[in-house]
CSV table of all heavy atoms in Angstrom, one decimal:
chain,number,residue,atom,x,y,z
A,357,VAL,N,109.5,75.0,107.0
A,357,VAL,CA,108.4,76.0,107.2
A,357,VAL,C,108.9,77.3,106.8
A,357,VAL,O,109.9,77.9,107.4
A,357,VAL,CB,108.0,76.0,108.6
A,357,VAL,CG1,106.8,77.1,108.8
A,357,VAL,CG2,107.5,74.6,109.1
A,358,GLY,N,108.3,77.9,105.7
A,358,GLY,CA,108.7,79.3,105.3
A,358,GLY,C,107.9,80.2,106.2
A,358,GLY,O,106.7,80.1,106.3
A,359,LEU,N,108.6,81.2,106.8
A,359,LEU,CA,108.0,82.1,107.7
A,359,LEU,C,108.2,83.6,107.3
A,359,LEU,O,109.2,84.1,107.4
A,359,LEU,CB,108.6,81.9,109.1
A,359,LEU,CG,107.9,82.7,110.3
A,359,LEU,CD1,106.4,82.4,110.4
A,359,LEU,CD2,108.6,82.5,111.6
A,360,GLY,N,107.1,84.1,106.6
A,360,GLY,CA,107.1,85.5,106.3
A,360,GLY,C,108.2,85.9,105.3
A,360,GLY,O,108.6,87.1,105.3
A,361,GLY,N,108.6,85.0,104.4
A,361,GLY,CA,109.6,85.3,103.5
A,361,GLY,C,109.3,85.1,102.0
A,361,GLY,O,108.1,85.0,101.6
A,362,SER,N,110.3,84.8,101.2
A,362,SER,CA,110.1,84.5,99.8
A,362,SER,C,111.4,83.8,99.3
A,362,SER,O,112.3,83.6,100.0
A,362,SER,CB,109.9,85.8,99.0
A,362,SER,OG,111.0,86.7,99.2
A,363,ASN,N,111.3,83.5,98.0
A,363,ASN,CA,112.4,82.8,97.3
A,363,ASN,C,112.9,81.6,98.1
A,363,ASN,O,114.0,81.5,98.5
A,363,ASN,CB,113.6,83.8,97.2
A,363,ASN,CG,114.8,83.2,96.4
A,363,ASN,OD1,114.6,82.3,95.6
A,363,ASN,ND2,116.0,83.7,96.6
A,364,TYR,N,111.9,80.6,98.2
A,364,TYR,CA,112.2,79.4,98.9
A,364,TYR,C,112.9,78.4,98.0
A,364,TYR,O,113.3,77.3,98.5
A,364,TYR,CB,110.9,78.8,99.5
A,364,TYR,CG,110.3,79.7,100.6
A,364,TYR,CD1,109.1,80.4,100.4
A,364,TYR,CD2,111.0,79.9,101.8
A,364,TYR,CE1,108.6,81.2,101.3
A,364,TYR,CE2,110.5,80.8,102.7
A,364,TYR,CZ,109.2,81.4,102.5
A,364,TYR,OH,108.7,82.2,103.5
A,365,GLY,N,113.1,78.7,96.8
A,365,GLY,CA,113.9,77.8,95.9
A,365,GLY,C,113.5,76.4,95.9
A,365,GLY,O,112.3,76.0,95.7
A,366,LEU,N,114.5,75.5,96.2
A,366,LEU,CA,114.3,74.1,96.1
A,366,LEU,C,113.2,73.6,97.0
A,366,LEU,O,112.5,72.7,96.7
A,366,LEU,CB,115.6,73.4,96.6
A,366,LEU,CG,115.6,71.9,97.0
A,366,LEU,CD1,115.4,71.1,95.7
A,366,LEU,CD2,116.9,71.5,97.7
A,367,LEU,N,112.9,74.3,98.1
A,367,LEU,CA,111.9,73.8,99.1
A,367,LEU,C,110.5,73.8,98.4
A,367,LEU,O,109.7,73.0,98.8
A,367,LEU,CB,111.9,74.7,100.3
A,367,LEU,CG,113.2,74.8,101.1
A,367,LEU,CD1,113.0,75.7,102.4
A,367,LEU,CD2,113.8,73.5,101.4
A,368,GLU,N,110.3,74.7,97.4
A,368,GLU,CA,109.0,74.8,96.8
A,368,GLU,C,108.8,73.7,95.7
A,368,GLU,O,107.7,73.5,95.3
A,368,GLU,CB,108.8,76.1,96.1
A,368,GLU,CG,108.8,77.3,97.1
A,368,GLU,CD,108.6,78.6,96.5
A,368,GLU,OE1,109.6,79.2,95.9
A,368,GLU,OE2,107.5,79.1,96.5
A,369,VAL,N,109.9,72.9,95.4
A,369,VAL,CA,109.8,71.9,94.4
A,369,VAL,C,110.3,70.6,94.9
A,369,VAL,O,110.8,69.8,94.1
A,369,VAL,CB,110.5,72.3,93.1
A,369,VAL,CG1,109.7,73.5,92.4
A,369,VAL,CG2,111.9,72.7,93.3
A,370,LEU,N,110.2,70.3,96.2
A,370,LEU,CA,110.7,69.1,96.8
A,370,LEU,C,110.1,67.9,96.2
A,370,LEU,O,110.7,66.8,96.1
A,370,LEU,CB,110.6,69.1,98.3
A,370,LEU,CG,111.6,70.0,99.0
A,370,LEU,CD1,111.1,70.2,100.5
A,370,LEU,CD2,113.0,69.5,98.9
A,371,ASP,N,108.8,68.0,95.7
A,371,ASP,CA,108.2,66.8,95.2
A,371,ASP,C,108.8,66.3,93.9
A,371,ASP,O,108.7,65.1,93.6
A,371,ASP,CB,106.7,67.1,94.9
A,371,ASP,CG,105.9,67.3,96.2
A,371,ASP,OD1,106.3,66.8,97.2
A,371,ASP,OD2,104.7,67.8,96.1
A,372,THR,N,109.6,67.2,93.2
A,372,THR,CA,110.3,66.7,92.0
A,372,THR,C,111.7,66.2,92.3
A,372,THR,O,112.3,65.7,91.4
A,372,THR,CB,110.4,67.9,91.0
A,372,THR,OG1,111.3,68.9,91.6
A,372,THR,CG2,109.1,68.5,90.8
A,373,PHE,N,112.1,66.2,93.6
A,373,PHE,CA,113.4,65.7,94.0
A,373,PHE,C,113.3,64.2,94.3
A,373,PHE,O,113.0,63.8,95.4
A,373,PHE,CB,113.9,66.5,95.2
A,373,PHE,CG,115.2,66.1,95.7
A,373,PHE,CD1,116.2,65.4,94.9
A,373,PHE,CD2,115.6,66.3,97.0
A,373,PHE,CE1,117.4,65.0,95.4
A,373,PHE,CE2,116.8,65.9,97.6
A,373,PHE,CZ,117.7,65.2,96.8
A,374,THR,N,113.4,63.4,93.3
A,374,THR,CA,113.2,62.0,93.4
A,374,THR,C,114.5,61.2,93.6
A,374,THR,O,114.5,60.0,93.8
A,374,THR,CB,112.5,61.4,92.2
A,374,THR,OG1,113.2,61.7,91.0
A,374,THR,CG2,111.1,62.1,92.1
A,375,ASP,N,115.7,61.9,93.5
A,375,ASP,CA,116.9,61.2,93.6
A,375,ASP,C,117.4,61.0,95.0
A,375,ASP,O,118.3,61.5,95.5
A,375,ASP,CB,118.0,62.0,92.8
A,375,ASP,CG,119.4,61.3,92.8
A,375,ASP,OD1,119.4,60.1,93.0
A,375,ASP,OD2,120.4,62.0,92.6
A,376,ARG,N,116.6,60.2,95.7
A,376,ARG,CA,116.8,59.8,97.1
A,376,ARG,C,116.1,58.5,97.5
A,376,ARG,O,115.1,58.2,96.8
A,376,ARG,CB,116.4,61.0,98.1
A,376,ARG,CG,115.1,61.5,97.8
A,376,ARG,CD,114.7,62.7,98.7
A,376,ARG,NE,113.6,63.5,98.2
A,376,ARG,CZ,112.9,64.3,98.9
A,376,ARG,NH1,113.0,64.4,100.2
A,376,ARG,NH2,111.9,65.0,98.3
A,377,ARG,N,116.5,57.9,98.5
A,377,ARG,CA,115.9,56.6,98.9
A,377,ARG,C,114.4,56.7,99.1
A,377,ARG,O,113.7,55.9,98.5
A,377,ARG,CB,116.6,56.1,100.1
A,377,ARG,CG,116.2,54.7,100.5
A,377,ARG,CD,117.1,54.2,101.6
A,377,ARG,NE,116.7,52.8,102.1
A,377,ARG,CZ,117.3,52.2,103.1
A,377,ARG,NH1,118.3,52.7,103.7
A,377,ARG,NH2,116.9,51.0,103.4
A,378,ILE,N,113.9,57.6,99.9
A,378,ILE,CA,112.5,57.8,100.0
A,378,ILE,C,112.3,59.3,100.2
A,378,ILE,O,113.2,60.1,100.6
A,378,ILE,CB,111.9,57.1,101.2
A,378,ILE,CG1,112.5,57.5,102.6
A,378,ILE,CG2,112.0,55.6,101.1
A,378,ILE,CD1,111.8,57.0,103.8
A,379,ASP,N,111.1,59.8,100.0
A,379,ASP,CA,110.7,61.2,100.2
A,379,ASP,C,110.6,61.4,101.7
A,379,ASP,O,109.8,60.9,102.4
A,379,ASP,CB,109.4,61.4,99.5
A,379,ASP,CG,108.9,62.9,99.6
A,379,ASP,OD1,109.6,63.7,100.4
A,379,ASP,OD2,108.0,63.3,99.0
A,380,ASN,N,111.5,62.2,102.2
A,380,ASN,CA,111.6,62.5,103.7
A,380,ASN,C,111.4,64.0,104.0
A,380,ASN,O,112.0,64.5,105.0
A,380,ASN,CB,112.9,62.0,104.3
A,380,ASN,CG,114.1,62.6,103.7
A,380,ASN,OD1,114.1,63.1,102.5
A,380,ASN,ND2,115.2,62.6,104.4
A,381,THR,N,110.7,64.7,103.1
A,381,THR,CA,110.6,66.2,103.3
A,381,THR,C,109.1,66.6,103.1
A,381,THR,O,108.4,66.0,102.3
A,381,THR,CB,111.5,66.9,102.4
A,381,THR,OG1,111.2,66.6,101.0
A,381,THR,CG2,112.9,66.7,102.7
A,382,HIS,N,108.8,67.8,103.6
A,382,HIS,CA,107.6,68.5,103.3
A,382,HIS,C,107.8,69.9,103.6
A,382,HIS,O,108.4,70.3,104.5
A,382,HIS,CB,106.4,67.9,104.1
A,382,HIS,CG,105.1,68.5,103.7
A,382,HIS,ND1,104.5,69.6,104.3
A,382,HIS,CD2,104.2,68.2,102.7
A,382,HIS,CE1,103.3,69.9,103.7
A,382,HIS,NE2,103.1,69.1,102.7
A,383,PHE,N,107.1,70.8,102.8
A,383,PHE,CA,107.3,72.2,102.9
A,383,PHE,C,106.0,72.9,102.8
A,383,PHE,O,105.1,72.6,102.1
A,383,PHE,CB,108.2,72.8,101.8
A,383,PHE,CG,108.2,74.3,101.7
A,383,PHE,CD1,108.9,75.1,102.6
A,383,PHE,CD2,107.4,74.9,100.7
A,383,PHE,CE1,108.9,76.5,102.5
A,383,PHE,CE2,107.4,76.3,100.6
A,383,PHE,CZ,108.2,77.1,101.5
A,384,PHE,N,105.8,74.0,103.7
A,384,PHE,CA,104.7,74.9,103.5
A,384,PHE,C,105.2,76.3,104.0
A,384,PHE,O,106.1,76.4,104.7
A,384,PHE,CB,103.4,74.5,104.3
A,384,PHE,CG,103.5,74.6,105.8
A,384,PHE,CD1,103.1,75.7,106.5
A,384,PHE,CD2,104.1,73.5,106.5
A,384,PHE,CE1,103.2,75.8,107.8
A,384,PHE,CE2,104.2,73.6,107.9
A,384,PHE,CZ,103.7,74.8,108.6
A,385,ALA,N,104.5,77.3,103.5
A,385,ALA,CA,104.9,78.7,103.8
A,385,ALA,C,103.8,79.4,104.5
A,385,ALA,O,102.6,79.2,104.2
A,385,ALA,CB,105.2,79.4,102.5
A,386,ILE,N,104.2,80.2,105.5
A,386,ILE,CA,103.2,81.1,106.2
A,386,ILE,C,103.5,82.5,105.9
A,386,ILE,O,104.6,83.0,106.3
A,386,ILE,CB,103.4,80.9,107.8
A,386,ILE,CG1,103.2,79.4,108.1
A,386,ILE,CG2,102.4,81.7,108.5
A,386,ILE,CD1,103.6,79.1,109.6
A,387,ASP,N,102.6,83.2,105.2
A,387,ASP,CA,102.9,84.6,104.8
A,387,ASP,C,102.7,85.5,106.0
A,387,ASP,O,103.5,86.4,106.2
A,387,ASP,CB,101.9,85.0,103.7
A,387,ASP,CG,102.2,84.3,102.4
A,387,ASP,OD1,103.4,84.0,102.1
A,387,ASP,OD2,101.3,84.0,101.6
A,388,ASP,N,101.7,85.2,106.8
A,388,ASP,CA,101.4,86.1,108.0
A,388,ASP,C,101.0,85.2,109.1
A,388,ASP,O,99.9,84.7,109.2
A,388,ASP,CB,100.4,87.1,107.7
A,388,ASP,CG,100.1,88.1,108.8
A,388,ASP,OD1,100.7,87.9,109.9
A,388,ASP,OD2,99.4,89.1,108.6
A,389,PHE,N,101.9,84.9,110.1
A,389,PHE,CA,101.6,84.0,111.2
A,389,PHE,C,100.4,84.5,112.0
A,389,PHE,O,99.7,83.6,112.5
A,389,PHE,CB,102.9,83.9,112.1
A,389,PHE,CG,102.7,82.9,113.2
A,389,PHE,CD1,102.9,81.6,113.0
A,389,PHE,CD2,102.2,83.4,114.5
A,389,PHE,CE1,102.7,80.7,114.1
A,389,PHE,CE2,102.1,82.5,115.5
A,389,PHE,CZ,102.3,81.1,115.3
A,390,SER,N,100.2,85.8,112.1
A,390,SER,CA,99.1,86.3,113.0
A,390,SER,C,97.7,85.9,112.4
A,390,SER,O,96.8,86.0,113.2
A,390,SER,CB,99.2,87.8,113.1
A,390,SER,OG,99.0,88.4,111.9
A,391,THR,N,97.6,85.5,111.2
A,391,THR,CA,96.3,85.2,110.6
A,391,THR,C,96.0,83.7,110.5
A,391,THR,O,95.0,83.3,110.1
A,391,THR,CB,96.2,85.8,109.2
A,391,THR,OG1,97.2,85.1,108.3
A,391,THR,CG2,96.5,87.3,109.1
A,392,LEU,N,97.0,82.9,111.0
A,392,LEU,CA,96.9,81.4,110.9
A,392,LEU,C,96.3,80.8,112.1
A,392,LEU,O,96.9,81.0,113.2
A,392,LEU,CB,98.2,80.8,110.5
A,392,LEU,CG,98.3,79.3,110.1
A,392,LEU,CD1,97.6,79.1,108.8
A,392,LEU,CD2,99.7,78.9,110.1
A,393,SER,N,95.3,80.0,112.1
A,393,SER,CA,94.7,79.4,113.2
A,393,SER,C,95.6,78.2,113.7
A,393,SER,O,96.4,77.7,112.9
A,393,SER,CB,93.3,78.8,112.9
A,393,SER,OG,93.4,77.7,112.1
A,394,ASP,N,95.5,77.9,115.0
A,394,ASP,CA,96.3,76.8,115.5
A,394,ASP,C,96.0,75.5,114.8
A,394,ASP,O,96.8,74.7,114.5
A,394,ASP,CB,96.2,76.7,117.0
A,394,ASP,CG,96.9,77.7,117.8
A,394,ASP,OD1,98.0,78.1,117.3
A,394,ASP,OD2,96.4,78.2,118.8
A,395,GLU,N,94.7,75.3,114.6
A,395,GLU,CA,94.3,74.0,113.9
A,395,GLU,C,94.9,73.9,112.5
A,395,GLU,O,95.5,72.8,112.2
A,395,GLU,CB,92.8,74.0,113.8
A,395,GLU,CG,92.3,72.7,113.1
A,395,GLU,CD,90.8,72.6,113.0
A,395,GLU,OE1,90.1,73.5,113.4
A,395,GLU,OE2,90.3,71.5,112.6
A,396,CYS,N,94.9,75.0,111.8
A,396,CYS,CA,95.5,75.0,110.4
A,396,CYS,C,97.0,74.8,110.5
A,396,CYS,O,97.6,74.0,109.8
A,396,CYS,CB,95.2,76.3,109.7
A,396,CYS,SG,95.8,76.3,108.0
A,397,LEU,N,97.6,75.4,111.5
A,397,LEU,CA,99.1,75.3,111.6
A,397,LEU,C,99.5,73.9,112.0
A,397,LEU,O,100.4,73.3,111.3
A,397,LEU,CB,99.6,76.2,112.8
A,397,LEU,CG,101.1,76.1,113.1
A,397,LEU,CD1,101.9,76.4,111.9
A,397,LEU,CD2,101.4,77.0,114.3
A,398,PHE,N,98.8,73.2,112.9
A,398,PHE,CA,99.2,71.9,113.3
A,398,PHE,C,98.9,70.9,112.2
A,398,PHE,O,99.6,69.9,112.0
A,398,PHE,CB,98.5,71.5,114.6
A,398,PHE,CG,99.1,72.1,115.8
A,398,PHE,CD1,98.5,73.0,116.6
A,398,PHE,CD2,100.4,71.7,116.2
A,398,PHE,CE1,99.0,73.6,117.7
A,398,PHE,CE2,101.0,72.3,117.3
A,398,PHE,CZ,100.3,73.2,118.1
A,399,ASP,N,97.8,71.1,111.5
A,399,ASP,CA,97.5,70.3,110.3
A,399,ASP,C,98.6,70.3,109.3
A,399,ASP,O,99.1,69.3,108.7
A,399,ASP,CB,96.2,70.7,109.6
A,399,ASP,CG,95.0,70.2,110.4
A,399,ASP,OD1,95.1,69.3,111.2
A,399,ASP,OD2,93.9,70.7,110.1
A,400,LEU,N,99.1,71.5,109.0
A,400,LEU,CA,100.2,71.7,108.1
A,400,LEU,C,101.5,71.1,108.6
A,400,LEU,O,102.3,70.5,107.9
A,400,LEU,CB,100.4,73.2,107.7
A,400,LEU,CG,99.3,73.8,106.9
A,400,LEU,CD1,99.5,75.3,106.9
A,400,LEU,CD2,99.4,73.3,105.5
A,401,LEU,N,101.8,71.3,109.9
A,401,LEU,CA,103.0,70.8,110.5
A,401,LEU,C,103.0,69.3,110.4
A,401,LEU,O,104.1,68.7,110.2
A,401,LEU,CB,103.1,71.2,112.0
A,401,LEU,CG,103.5,72.7,112.2
A,401,LEU,CD1,103.3,73.0,113.7
A,401,LEU,CD2,105.0,72.9,111.8
Side-chain angles (χ1 to χ4, degrees):
V357 180
L359 186 59
S362 60
N363 185 24
Y364 295 113
L366 169 66
L367 303 185
E368 297 182 281
V369 292
L370 284 170
D371 287 344
T372 66
F373 177 27
T374 58
D375 181 22
R376 47 180 160 160
R377 186 171 176 182
I378 62 172
D379 184 348
N380 62 332
T381 56
H382 185 264
F383 168 77
F384 70 94
I386 305 172
D387 292 330
D388 184 354
F389 182 84
S390 66
T391 65
L392 190 67
S393 71
D394 283 323
E395 181 178 4
C396 183
L397 175 61
F398 283 113
D399 281 346
L400 289 168
L401 284 169

